[in-house]
Amino acid sequence: MIPLELRLVEDYESMSREAADLVADRLRREPEPVLLLPTGGTPLGMYRRLVELHEGGLSFSRATLFNLDEYIGLPPQHPSSYRAYMHRELYRHVDADPRRVHLPDGSAVDTEAEAARYEAEIEAAGGVDLCVLGIGRNGHIGFNEPGTPFDARTRPVRLDGSTRRANARDFGGEDAPEKAITVGPGTIFDAREVLLLASGEPKAAAVAAALEGRVTQDVPASALRGHPRFTLLADRAAGGGLSG
Ligand code: PGA
């Protein structure tokens, strides 16, 4: 098994700063970097820090930017859509080129076709240089819930009840939508570098299962264990129990 790089930091703030530094490093080094980015609570601090770095001169203008997932059934301008999230947290503050910003269209009528189109867009961009991810309490990555085959590609999926409840905070306390389009574990695994972020005690069990348990599709994040360039960046509360 290829050893993963484990970066344990003190707290959420340090995790966010380090994650932003790794993203910034890619943006500076690659002539045309391709990033695959997460939403949710975990990366908010990373995006805040990236905005600060942009104010200090970091440019996004040559980057091609994809997101991992989007809810099905929400118009793109819906405030709880991930398109709105990315605009609010990152894109309206930086110099990203709108022609190079991609998210699945959750309002598409034919969601299978939309997922295939999105997968093809990633391929046409030359694949992903760096994928940044969070982890669900059930071990999901993107919206790939337990049971997802490791080789699955971008497709429409049904969300677990626990995921819909965890994300109810974005829907005024109502469960999040039932379905989403997500980039698959196969597509994530093909990224040249993968950075998994985890913060807080509620993630500790999922992190331990993903990193030290069996490699199984019941824990989608365990798929990353065989990746040649995989870093877990976790705070003590989420990753402190790992044997390292
Ligand atoms: P969170 O979600 O960052 O909102 O905890 C992570 C995930 O479900 O992938």
Side-chain angles (χ1 to χ4, degrees), residues 86-141:
M86 288 307 293
H87 182 71
R88 191 167 59 238
E89 305 301 336
L90 185 65
Y91 295 143
R92 78 186 166 102
H93 307 287
V94 301
D95 61 344
D97 177 348
R99 289 165 305 182
R100 297 190 191 212
V101 167
H102 307 273
L103 283 102
D105 178 0
S107 66
V109 178
D110 184 343
T111 53
E112 296 274 355
E114 171 58 11
R117 183 197 66 77
Y118 196 69
E119 179 79 28
E121 261 188 342
I122 294 175
E123 213 178 301
V128 172
D129 291 310
L130 172 64
C131 171
V132 186
L133 295 164
I135 182 169
R137 292 183 200 198
N138 62 1
H140 75 203
I141 47 174

Side-chain angles (χ1 to χ4, degrees), residues 39-43 134-136 140-142 167 169 203:
T39 51
T42 307
I135 182 169
H140 75 203
I141 47 174
N167 292 2
R169 58 176 179 211
K203 299 292 175 70

Side-chain angles (χ1 to χ4, degrees), residues 138 145-146 158-168 175-178:
N138 62 1
E145 302 286 25
R158 196 167 279 281
L159 301 180
D160 276 8
S162 64
T163 302
R164 296 181 61 208
R165 273 188 298 284
N167 292 2
D175 280 3
E178 281 173 33

